[in-house]
Structure formats: structure tokens, C-alpha cells
Amino acid sequence: MSRLTHLDESGAAHMVDVGHKAETQRRAVAQARVLMQPETLRLLLEGGHAKGDVFAVARVAGIQAAKKCSDLIPLCHPLMLNAVDVSFTADEASSSVLIEAGCSVSGKTGVEMEALTAASVAALTIYDMCKAVDRAMAIQHIVLQRKEGGKSGTWQRDQQEL
Amino acid sequence: MSRLTHLDESGAAHMVDVGHKAETQRRAVAQARVLMQPETLRLLLEGGHAKGDVFAVARVAGIQAAKKCSDLIPLCHPLMLNAVDVSFTADEASSSVLIEAGCSVSGKTGVEMEALTAASVAALTIYDMCKAVDRAMAIQHIVLQRKEGGKSGTWQRDQQEL
Amino acid sequence: MSRLTHLDESGAAHMVDVGHKAETQRRAVAQARVLMQPETLRLLLEGGHAKGDVFAVARVAGIQAAKKCSDLIPLCHPLMLNAVDVSFTADEASSSVLIEAGCSVSGKTGVEMEALTAASVAALTIYDMCKAVDRAMAIQHIVLQRKEGGKSGTWQRDQQEL
Amino acid sequence: MSRLTHLDESGAAHMVDVGHKAETQRRAVAQARVLMQPETLRLLLEGGHAKGDVFAVARVAGIQAAKKCSDLIPLCHPLMLNAVDVSFTADEASSSVLIEAGCSVSGKTGVEMEALTAASVAALTIYDMCKAVDRAMAIQHIVLQRKEGGKSGTWQRDQQEL
Amino acid sequence: MSRLTHLDESGAAHMVDVGHKAETQRRAVAQARVLMQPETLRLLLEGGHAKGDVFAVARVAGIQAAKKCSDLIPLCHPLMLNAVDVSFTADEASSSVLIEAGCSVSGKTGVEMEALTAASVAALTIYDMCKAVDRAMAIQHIVLQRKEGGKSGTWQRDQQEL
Amino acid sequence: MSRLTHLDESGAAHMVDVGHKAETQRRAVAQARVLMQPETLRLLLEGGHAKGDVFAVARVAGIQAAKKCSDLIPLCHPLMLNAVDVSFTADEASSSVLIEAGCSVSGKTGVEMEALTAASVAALTIYDMCKAVDRAMAIQHIVLQRKEGGKSGTWQRDQQEL
């Protein structure tokens, strides 16, 4: 752990060269959590269509954001995602929605940023759709849960971390 | 607080009509925090150019993301931002970087989502540039701090909330 | 009806100057129809969540496409939409889904292209989600139904046309 | 034909995983038709430069739209097109312009949506450039004509269909 | 001339606040020149349709680039262009093509960057279409020719400059 | 040198088919130069953070533009860049900043346009950040310096050219 890979010796940013890396199957899973008032969660969950629509809109936003990752994060490489999925779990105990986003690629570089971006934008979309009733919502704990593939192999988040 | 404004009576999502709203000066400020290992923070802060460059890249990413907000968040209105600023404060006590993003507009709708998007993408960019040395970093507490302008006027986050 | 407004005297394309036009409330409504096998329509309509999700995805795609109109159609002006809505009506008699997209703006130029683009992309999204079971679907009759506002005022499609 | 591939068992949308699919040469051809008043078609066709420019603008719009397909259609995979071509045939008998768009790729997933998107956006661009003289134009019969490559092999539209 | 307006006192970049500025009619005209081998220019100019198409493609690219300016240039404000035009003049004496791009807006900030971006991207597009026959082409002298409107009023380039 | 490859026999533009081309390691380096008043160059260079920030912003803009190349240049193929770097050299003798941009890919088509686009947009970004103090700056000599890989192999610009 000596220096940041996205900076050259002079400290200038660049896109790290991945030309020599092998193309392998890679996958990453990220999470985010949106905390809200219990009443807000109730509104999100009630009704049939409504529930479908709020999560459906946030899911599409997350999927589309994964595809835009290299346009959002300046030093990310463009890549061709094989799959993206975004799921939502309402947790009434903590009055929150847990978002989990998974991305897969056959490529030279990992998809951690794609999964984190998908989870973040899905969370922001839920915020947007609920903000008129609950401005104080907070997006918490956007983290990488797991990555597979590539030279460094599998990494699994230790639940005690941070 | 009866139903979500982005859903019509049948539960279908739509872009809320803002045609009747007055054009006023609006501003919003959002925050996010990136928690990392003390050693990672030290790498971020050391050197002169390097420090400038990591935060400079994240700042540009945040500013650009504010302008892309309506492309990322499906029901957001396109708008013409008057100003965007993104600042970073390293906090060695909590081993984290605090990000604050502010957006202004003369418009019919607020810029809360633009400020939240700028803070989120700046945080993701810091994650990206440091992930090779610290995969377990967490983005915490993406929240709206303050909004001004529009019919509902000024709102300031109560520091006790969430 | 002497020449096309998007071409100058030499035949070169340009974005027509709208600087002198008044900013008025404008609205446009467009339609499209996706014809499919009765079995495909049944799959689209069956179940609760599934139905919500297919139309929800196509609705988001249509709304987002309305916002991208000036990026897609080379001589369209960028504008700040006040509202976009997209609705779907399943018509078992003709084994088709009717899409209606409405866009509003307070601006110097109309939103016909935004409404037509929203309807078209919503139709393409339905095609995409059903193509594995029915490649021969056809998108039919993408038309402007109505426009309001601007110097030429209200125009309503004559149902006998074309 | 049991369920839609873009929905999982719970009805939630996702990008179908193509990681296991072979990379093959694939091609798709789509068509669309723009019906207009005979006088509008005459304006489109008259003159030398003018004709070139209207179709040239619509051709560029179609080609660019093919490249934007995965940004427009939420569950489409990003892919690296090998070739795109868009051609126009004026048909005075039916007072229409026939658009044909072809896309090719060496990839894991087909290019049907890219070809359909190219044809649709080329059609919308013709509508845009002629709408000042003929608002009632209709875009008809956007269909897939042919696909080649991939596990399902070649498919050719039966001219009797729909 | 004391410091750069896009940097705050600490040297950090930000989008300059234009909220207090008046909305006025603004226009800017920029130029660029593509130098090439005489044989390349001859290929560009020969034929009827071909000529139309090369310049038509470059014209569309320039117009579209003007609309993307705030996405390309990090500290540019989004704005709603009233008009964009791009023209080409072949100059056999200097074996070059002169590109002139004009942009207009009713806005709080000028359109110099939009005009310069349109001219640059039109020049790059000509390079792209001719590079297979002439890799050594050079794009020269991308300059602002004139600006009108705003607090600083009209500015006209002195032909002796640079 | 018989005809332009981006035009078919009828003169219509198309994306050249690269399906049959081999995937090889390719690299291209392009340059651009921004001429300015000596006082403007002094402002750019003075201070520590400020200098870092201006070039850091322009560097990010150049890197991001390389990734947007196929969206800007109509007939360019989308591709997955392996690496992008952008560097700046201040030259007080000629009162200019020299920009050099390099792009690499493992692909079927070269990255000349990506490198030229990165250099051009980095130059435009410097212009934008300095234009308030020096409107007459000129971007000069955007050229390809070198290309490697592909069927035509290595090409190096002859410094006497143009």
C-alpha cells in the first residue's frame, strides 16, 4: 500500500492501463440503505401498483446508472456489462429500505464501481420519489459486499468492518 | 402526507407538472462522508500535487454529475444550474472525508437532487481512486443539509435527525 | 408551404433560430401502438407485479427519452420540460398496446418531438422486453394527436387522417 | 413461451445475464416507413443539396441512435457495434419514405434493438424536419426484417405477418 | 486581470455563479481550419452527393456538439440554445476547409464555448472521414471571432491577433 | 487513394464495417497547443493549488471526452479504451501550453479519434477557464503524432509536415 494507482509519479490522474490484464468473469455486489420515517416507509409499501412502481422506477434508474458508470466516474474504464440486477428489501424494524445491486462482466477490469453506482442511484431515486413527504431521509452505508474474479480473486466484506 | 407526488392515482410514475410554479432563486446543500482506513486518508492527504489531483478529480466528477441529474434520476426535471460547488474536508479524528455540495438555480423546481447527486458521485470518485488500497471504505450519511427558495421556503436539517 | 424550415437557402441543415419567439405554455400528445400475438399480450397482462414492471420500465424509458430528445433529433432545441406522462392501454380486440405520451413546457418552441420520442422509445422498450417470445411484433402509427400553445395555436389530429 | 425473460420470478425487471453466451457475428435489419402528404414528399425530394441534407441528417441521427441504444432501452446490454448503415427509399406511389437500418456486431447478444432504434430515430428526424409543413405525418410499421447469428440463428420476417 | 474566475481563493474549481446576471440575447461565432493534402480536398469536393454528405455529417456533428458543451467542458453552464449554424468553405489556395460556427441564446451566460466546441467537433469529424487517406491533416486556429450581448458587450477579433 | 471510406458508392455516410478486422493492441498519441498572452500563462502557472486545479480539470475533461468520442464523431465505432493519459507542458518561450493525449485499446479499430478528441477538449477546457482574462487565445495544431497497431502498423508524424 504505497501510492494511489490512479495517480502517476507526478500526482497527475490517469486511467490506469488495463491492456495487459486477462479477460475474466468478474462480479461485484454493493449495498446501500435508505433510512426514512416509518410513515414514509408505509407509503412506499402500501397499495399494489404504487409499491411496484416506486421500486420499479428505482430499479431502472440503478440499472441505467450501472451502464453510465464510466461517464460518471472519471477514471473508470468503459466496459460491456453482462448483467445487472437491483433488489429492494423493506426493513420495518429499522425503518429503511436495503438496496442490493449486482453487476457481472467478462472483462479486464472489475465492476465494483458499476455496482456501487447502481446502488447509489437507486437510493437517490427513492429519495427523490419520497422527498416531498420526508426531506430528512438519509442514504447510509454504501459499501461493496463482495467481488469475484480478476487477479485478486474473491473478496467478501467482513460484517464487522466500519 | 397522504400519497407520493410522483405517482398518480393509479400508482403510475410521472414527472410532476411544474408549469404553474413560480421561477424563484433556489439553493440546496448536501453532504456525504467517505470513511476509510487512517492509512488511506494519509495517502490521500500526502504530497502536494497528489492531494490536489484526487480532490480535483472528485470535484469535477461531482460538478458534472449535478448537470447530469435529470438523466440519472428518472422523474427529475431538466434545469439550468446557475452554480455548483463541491468542497472536501479531511477529518483525521473520524478517518473520513466530508463532502459538501451546493447547487443554485433560478427555476420552477428545487435543486435538492442535484446537490445530493453531486455529493454522491464525488464520494464514489474518491472510493474509485482509493479502492486499490482500501476496498472496505464506506460512503455514509448522504443527506440534504439545507434548502432555500420555492413555496416551502427554507429548510435546515436538524443535526439530531437520523 | 414552400420549403423546409430546417434547411437554409443552400439546402444546409441548421437549428432554426427561435430567439424571437415568445415563451408560452405548450403541450403535445403523441401515440404509438405495439401489435403483438394474443399470447404475448396475455403474458404482458398476467400476474400483478409482472404487469406493473413491464409497463413501469417502458414508462421510465419513455420519460427519460423525452428528456433526451434534443440529443437524439439533431435539429431539436434543448428545452426544460415541465411535465411528462406516459400511459398504456391494452387492447385485446386488436391484440395491441396503445401508448400515449404527453409533454408540457413553458418555452419558445413546441414539444411535439419530445412526445413522439417518448411514445417511440416506450414502444421499443415493450418490444425489447417481449422480443424473446414474439420477434414479429410491429410498432404502428406513431402520430401526433394534439398540440397546444405557440403561434399556431391548438391542432388536433383528424382521426380520418392517414 | 412461458414467461418474459427480462422479468425474474417475482416479476422484477433485470438485465438478462449473457455471460455464458458465445461471441458470434450477429446482424439485424429493421425497417420503418414515414407516410406524408405527396406535397411533403415532393419538397423532400426536390433540389440537389436539399435532398442530400435531409436524408444525410436523418442518416446521422439513426447511426448515432444505434450507438445510444443501451442508454435508451433500459434492459439492453451495451455493445460495440461493428457497423451501422441507414438507407432511405422514397416511394411516390404510397407517398412515403421507407427506412432500412442494419447493424452488425461480434458479440454475446443480438443487435435487433439497435437496428430498430436506428430506424425509429431516423424516422423521427424526418418527421422533425418536415413537421412545419405536414404535422399529420405518421410513422408506420417499425419492424424487424431479419436477424442472423446467435443461438437462434437466422430469422426472416414473413411478409404476411401483421 | 488578477485571477482566474473559475477558481476560488483556495484554487479550487467551481461553476461560477451566474444567478445575478441578466438574461440577454447573446451570440458567438467561432472558426477552425482543417489543413489537408490538395488531393484530399479534391476528394472532399468531388461528386455531388458525396460532397453534400461529408459536410452534412460534419455539420450535424458540430450542431450536436454545441448542445453537449456543458457535458464536455466541466465548468460550463447548461443553457438552452436558440440557434446553431455551422458552415464550410473550401479554400483551394491554402488546401484547407474553413469552418464557421455560430450559436445564439437568450441567457445569463455567453455561448463562446458552444461555438468553439461546434467548430472543433466539426473539424474532428472532417478529420475522421478523411483520415484513411491523409493522416497528417492538422486542425488549425480554433478561435473566437466575435461575441455579442452580455455585460461586456460586443467583442470582435482583431485579425492581427496571434 | 481513390475514395473516402466513410461514404458508400452513392456518397452516403455509414459506419465502416470492422467485423472482419483483427483485435490488436493499438495506441495513438495526439497533440494540441493553446496560445495565450504571457500574462495569462503566468496566471495559469502561479500558485500551487491553482495550477494543479486548472490542469487537473482540463485533464479530467480530456479523459472523459476520449470516452465520449463515438458519441461526438458520428461515424466512430464505440470501443473500450484500456488507458487514457493527458499531459500539459507550459512553454513560456511561445507563451503556450502544449497538450499531449494518449489512448490505448485492444480492439478492431484505432484510437486516433479518441486521442485527438481528448487533446481538443482539454484545450477547450483551458480556453474556458482563462477566457475571462484572454478571449483571443487560439488553439493551434491539433495533430496526430503517432499511431501503433492495426493492419497499417506504426505511423509517426514527420515534424516537417504542415
Side-chain angles (χ1 to χ4, degrees), chain A residues 25-72:
Chain A
Q25 295 289 328
R26 296 159 190 269
R27 181 168 169 77
V29 177
Q31 286 186 350
R33 191 175 282 277
V34 187
L35 271 74
M36 57 188 72
Q37 293 297 321
E39 173 67 3
T40 310
L41 186 61
R42 193 188 58 72
L43 278 172
L44 256 184
L45 297 181
E46 76 185 4
H49 286 291
K51 175 189 174 179
D53 241 14
V54 173
F55 290 150
V57 173
R59 183 180 289 116
V60 172
I63 291 171
Q64 290 291 69
K67 291 190 265 180
K68 287 182 215 288
C69 182
S70 71
D71 190 44
L72 288 171

Side-chain angles (χ1 to χ4, degrees), chain F residues 25-45:
Chain F
Q25 295 290 328
R26 295 160 190 267
R27 181 166 171 78
V29 177
Q31 287 186 349
R33 190 175 283 277
V34 186
L35 270 74
M36 58 188 73
Q37 294 297 321
E39 172 68 3
T40 309
L41 186 62
R42 193 188 58 73
L43 277 172
L44 255 184
L45 296 181

Side-chain angles (χ1 to χ4, degrees), chain F residues 29-94:
Chain F
V29 177
Q31 287 186 349
R33 190 175 283 277
V34 186
L35 270 74
M36 58 188 73
Q37 294 297 321
E39 172 68 3
T40 309
L41 186 62
R42 193 188 58 73
L43 277 172
L44 255 184
L45 296 181
E46 77 184 6
H49 287 292
K51 175 189 173 180
D53 241 12
V54 174
F55 289 150
V57 173
R59 184 180 288 116
V60 172
I63 292 171
Q64 290 291 71
K67 291 190 265 179
K68 286 183 216 287
C69 181
S70 72
D71 190 44
L72 289 171
I73 312 296
L75 305 181
C76 271
H77 293 81
L79 46 74
M80 292 194 301
L81 290 165
N82 280 339
V84 184
D85 55 88
V86 180
S87 67
F88 302 92
T89 310
D91 176 5
E92 293 185 73
S94 62

Side-chain angles (χ1 to χ4, degrees), chain A residues 1-7 10-13 35-37 39-40 42-44 46 49-51 53-54 57 60-61 65 68 71-76 112-113 116-117 120-121 124-125 127-144 147 152 155 157 161-162, chain B residues 1-7 10-13 35-37 39-40 42-44 46 49-51 53-54 57 60-61 65 68 71-76 112-113 116-117 120-121 124-125 127-144 147 152 155 157 161-162:
Chain A
M1 185 156 125
S2 54
R3 67 180 182 83
L4 302 177
T5 50
H6 288 80
L7 301 179
S10 71
L35 271 74
M36 57 188 72
Q37 293 297 321
E39 173 67 3
T40 310
R42 193 188 58 72
L43 278 172
L44 256 184
E46 76 185 4
H49 286 291
K51 175 189 174 179
D53 241 14
V54 173
V57 173
V60 172
K68 287 182 215 288
D71 190 44
L72 288 171
I73 312 296
L75 305 181
C76 270
E112 295 95 316
M113 294 314 302
L116 286 160
T117 299
S120 302
V121 171
L124 289 166
T125 301
Y127 185 98
D128 180 46
M129 295 183 79
C130 299
K131 71 177 189 292
V133 298
D134 188 2
R135 265 194 206 100
M137 283 175 292
I139 301 173
Q140 295 289 9
H141 210 56
I142 304 179
V143 294
L144 184 67
K147 67 166 283 291
S152 64
W155 177 88
R157 185 178 194 78
E161 281 179 296
L162 289 177
Chain B
M1 185 156 128
S2 54
R3 67 178 182 84
L4 302 178
T5 49
H6 288 80
L7 301 179
S10 71
L35 271 74
M36 57 188 72
Q37 295 297 322
E39 172 68 1
T40 311
R42 192 188 59 71
L43 277 172
L44 255 184
E46 74 185 7
H49 286 292
K51 175 189 173 179
D53 241 12
V54 173
V57 173
V60 172
K68 287 183 213 289
D71 189 44
L72 290 170
I73 313 296
L75 306 181
C76 270
E112 294 96 316
M113 293 315 301
L116 287 160
T117 300
S120 303
V121 172
L124 289 165
T125 301
Y127 184 97
D128 179 46
M129 295 184 80
C130 299
K131 72 176 189 294
V133 297
D134 188 3
R135 264 193 206 99
M137 282 175 292
I139 301 173
Q140 296 289 10
H141 211 57
I142 304 179
V143 294
L144 183 66
K147 66 167 283 293
S152 64
W155 176 88
R157 187 177 194 80
E161 282 178 295
L162 291 176

Side-chain angles (χ1 to χ4, degrees), chain D residues 120-138:
Chain D
S120 302
V121 172
L124 288 166
T125 301
I126 289 180
Y127 184 98
D128 180 46
M129 294 183 80
C130 299
K131 72 177 188 294
V133 298
D134 189 1
R135 265 194 205 100
M137 282 175 291

Side-chain angles (χ1 to χ4, degrees), chain E residues 97-109:
Chain E
V97 172
L98 176 68
I99 301 166
E100 188 164 285
C103 294
S104 306
V105 78
S106 317
K108 298 183 171 201
T109 178

